[in-house]
Amino acid sequence: MSTNLEEQAADGMMMCCASCGTAEVDDVKLKTCSACKSVRYCSVTCQKEHRPQHKRACKKKAGELHDEILFKQPESSYEGDCPLCCLPISLDKTKSTLMSSRE
């Protein structure tokens, strides 16, 4: 049961508790795993019961999410990298120390 639920979670279609299979309805609000954000639980008890099966996949997915956020570059918020220090040069000339005039 757990492997099928984890496959659904990987597809982003998880709409039931990963542990007991309770579907999300008006009176049952599922809470998303805070680390990997790919599985949902109806209660803390279900989350604790499912933890041994979910732990390895959770760590892997959380690491992937962390890397994706960490290495995500802004689309066009800088002109390029400084040839001396390799830091990004800001497009906003008022915030860039390299482009501001000295008095």
Side-chain angles (χ1 to χ4, degrees):
M1 179 173 167
S2 158
T3 57
N4 188 23
L5 292 174
E6 300 232 357
E7 288 173 8
Q8 287 177 356
D11 294 339
M13 298 176 5
M14 186 72 156
M15 296 306 291
C16 61
C17 177
S19 181
C20 67
T22 302
E24 183 173 43
V25 291
D26 292 336
D27 59 333
V28 177
K29 298 290 182 190
L30 299 178
K31 294 161 189 68
T32 305
C33 175
S34 61
C36 69
K37 299 179 181 16
S38 63
V39 296
R40 303 172 93 189
Y41 299 101
C42 63
S43 67
V44 174
T45 305
C46 280
Q47 186 176 10
K48 287 179 181 178
E49 287 176 1
H50 189 250
R51 181 72 180 150
Q53 294 89 24
H54 176 62
K55 187 175 181 179
R56 182 175 289 178
C58 182
K59 283 187 175 187
K60 181 180 178 189
K61 180 68 175 173
E64 290 171 0
L65 288 174
H66 177 73
D67 289 346
E68 183 178 311
I69 293 168
L70 183 64
F71 295 109
K72 185 178 180 181
Q73 293 292 325
E75 292 297 321
S76 61
S77 63
Y78 68 99
E79 289 183 7
D81 295 335
C82 172
L84 299 175
C85 65
C86 298
L87 292 174
I89 299 172
S90 176
L91 284 176
D92 187 358
K93 307 284 189 215
T94 61
K95 292 182 181 178
S96 175
T97 57
L98 295 174
M99 302 299 179
S100 63
S101 62
R102 305 219 189 247
E103 294 181 17

